[in-house]
Amino acid sequence: MDASAQARFDLIRENLAEIINPELVESVLAEGRNPRVYWGTATTGKPHTGYFTPALKIAQLLAAGCEVVILLADVHAFLDSLKAPLELVENRVKYYEKVIRAILEAVGVSTEKLEFVLGSSYQTSPKYTMDLYRLSALTSEHDARKSGAEIVKQSTNAPLSGLLYPLLQVLDEEYLNVDAELGGVDQRKLFVAATEWLPKLGYRKRAHLVTPMVAGLSGGKMSSSDEDSKIDLLDPPEVVAKKIRKSQAAPKIVENNGIIALVEFVLLPAAALAGKREFRVERRDAEPLIYTDIQKLKDDYSNDILTPQTLKPAVADALTRLMAPIHEAYQASPEWQEITLKAYPPPVAQKKQKKVKDKGSRYPGANKEQEIPEHPKP
């Protein structure tokens, strides 16, 4: 590759955990072509702050001259253990597009060059369906389950739809005509399977751009279905502050620390994109701590120079500022607010029915007509 292509590749590779088959991306750049990349999201629970990670990567891909497709995977949402009932999917798709555009605009990315595609717009076509049958015939139940183990809800008697989910995601690479797919570390098994399965159908294998996963507030993976692990993008500032205050962040422990993960994968990259890569921690009785490098922050935390008590408020403040444009866009859009109510209707409170006890007929105050007549005296 020439210097220009190498610089583009370096930007594509930046902040990734891994690139599977990087030579495929390099060859596209060497041809002088713009790599076509897709990122898909199943339209299930409300997007959370973890979505900033792919959004920031998408910003870099656009800066590197890539064509970026965002797949709103409505069929996948339904297949994954009915996480999104069919009657809600249409509005959840609209909600997701609104949120994703707002996230990207919040970090200064123009969404004009993005291509949004609805999964059901092509996944129900005869050709796609036939390819799904063909791939089903070539894939074992064991391999299908293994490939989706970390992305599809698992249970002892899971629906068959969960086995179809990874097959559809593999076929999407061909039908969206991409050179690479962007996704988290939790999808790595599926990405490896895709490189093996697509050639069986006569299709070329693709590269995979693997982003690191943001640890949740409770220490594990940040998930849309786990309220304790995440901060929703429309959570008000007081809720953000409360969730961060209650989050697990043991002193001196860096691993699986969701608060540090937010700084590393969201706040510092977003600040860099805005033109000034730094994270500031105010202290009551000392000079503020200013970090431009995540390793320095981790070292200070390990050595108890930076404590959870000082880090948490700083993260809450920075995250609130980052999310402010999303909140403003939501408040300015009655259409978005209406879509939200339709996509995520509030649960209907069930009134408790007072159980009528059968007291029999001989309790005090019973209707005399209902009493059992006495036996006549002889």
Side-chain angles (χ1 to χ4, degrees):
M1 290 190 296
D2 60 23
S4 173
Q6 185 62 52
R8 293 175 69 191
F9 180 74
D10 290 342
L11 188 54
I12 291 168
R13 184 174 54 189
E14 190 174 312
N15 292 335
L16 290 176
E18 178 186 10
I19 298 183
I20 301 173
N21 300 123
E23 69 281 357
L24 298 178
V25 177
E26 290 175 317
S27 65
V28 171
L29 292 170
E31 292 170 14
R33 213 162 42 82
N34 292 329
R36 183 172 168 86
V37 182
Y38 105 84
W39 173 70
T41 179
T43 51
T44 53
K46 289 183 179 179
H48 48 71
T49 49
Y51 279 63
F52 274 110
T53 301
L56 291 163
K57 189 64 235 177
I58 287 168
Q60 290 183 316
L61 293 175
L62 290 170
C66 296
E67 298 174 9
V68 180
V69 181
I70 293 181
L71 174 65
L72 299 171
D74 53 341
V75 174
H76 288 80
F78 173 70
L79 290 176
D80 189 1
S81 295
L82 305 182
K83 283 184 180 177
L86 281 174
E87 60 270 18
L88 299 180
V89 165
E90 183 181 352
N91 285 299
R92 289 191 180 183
V93 164
K94 295 175 183 176
Y95 180 88
Y96 265 67
E97 181 168 351
K98 292 276 189 186
V99 167
I100 291 166
R101 287 188 184 278
I103 294 171
L104 289 164
E105 287 163 5
V107 295
V109 177
S110 171
T111 60
E112 291 179 2
K113 294 182 180 179
L114 288 178
E115 181 183 343
F116 284 85
V117 177
L118 188 62
S120 57
S121 68
Y122 65 89
Q123 289 167 344
T124 56
S125 69
K127 188 174 186 299
Y128 187 97
T129 304
M130 195 63 220
D131 272 346
L132 180 59
Y133 291 156
R134 290 170 63 205
L135 189 54
S136 299
L138 297 169
T139 307
S140 70
E141 180 268 347
H142 171 270
D143 289 350
R145 187 181 301 279
K146 179 182 175 183
S147 67
E150 295 185 47
I151 55 174
V152 180
K153 187 175 180 180
Q154 303 288 310
S155 61
T156 53
N157 190 25
L160 183 61
S161 58
L163 298 179
L164 293 176
Y165 186 111
L167 275 64
L168 267 73
Q169 185 167 338
V170 167
L171 287 175
D172 290 341
E173 296 181 2
E174 173 65 23
Y175 279 77
L176 292 172
N177 191 30
V178 297
D179 301 296
E181 180 179 357
L182 173 70
V185 170
D186 58 338
Q187 301 187 63
R188 193 183 189 284
K189 290 178 181 177
L190 193 149
F191 292 160
V192 172
T195 63
E196 298 171 359
W197 295 354
L198 280 178
K200 292 180 181 180
L201 298 178
Y203 299 138
R204 63 188 173 96
K205 65 181 179 181
R206 270 69 178 188
H208 295 89
L209 315 179
V210 186
T211 60
M213 296 301 294
V214 178
L217 300 181
S218 53
K221 171 186 169 184
M222 189 176 288
S223 169
S224 295
S225 57
D226 182 357
E227 286 295 329
D228 294 333
S229 78
K230 62 167 184 165
I231 295 171
D232 283 339
L233 291 166
L234 291 176
D235 278 344
E238 62 273 16
V239 173
V240 173
K242 182 179 179 181
K243 284 184 176 181
I244 288 180
R245 190 168 58 249
K246 292 173 64 179
S247 66
Q248 294 181 22
K252 303 183 181 182
I253 305 298
V254 171
E255 295 301 318
N256 290 322
N257 187 317
I259 301 303
I260 291 178
L262 281 170
V263 179
E264 181 173 6
F265 299 119
V266 177
L267 297 175
L268 269 178
L273 200 62
K276 190 176 183 180
R277 183 184 174 87
E278 73 169 34
F279 175 69
R280 188 181 184 94
V281 180
E282 299 291 346
R283 294 187 292 176
R284 185 176 299 174
D285 302 318
E287 290 294 313
L289 296 170
I290 299 174
Y291 297 101
T292 58
D293 175 58
I294 191 61
Q295 191 55 52
K296 173 60 175 168
L297 183 147
K298 289 180 178 180
D299 291 344
D300 280 0
Y301 195 86
S302 298
N303 295 320
D304 213 26
I305 296 169
L306 176 63
T307 65
Q309 291 75 21
T310 53
L311 177 60
K312 285 184 176 183
V315 169
D317 289 345
L319 200 55
T320 296
R321 289 195 300 273
L322 183 60
M323 291 162 58
I326 302 174
H327 290 204
E328 290 168 9
Y330 179 78
Q331 293 300 330
S333 175
E335 178 194 6
W336 188 356
Q337 295 167 34
E338 184 181 350
I339 288 169
T340 305
L341 286 174
K342 290 179 179 177
Y344 302 97
V348 179
Q350 297 291 330
K351 290 184 178 180
K352 289 186 177 180
Q353 296 290 332
K354 190 172 181 180
K355 189 174 181 181
V356 179
K357 293 183 178 179
D358 182 5
K359 300 179 181 178
S361 57
R362 287 195 176 273
Y363 64 94
N367 190 329
K368 298 299 181 183
E369 293 180 0
Q370 294 179 346
E371 289 187 8
I372 300 172
E374 295 182 2
H375 294 293
K377 294 180 181 179

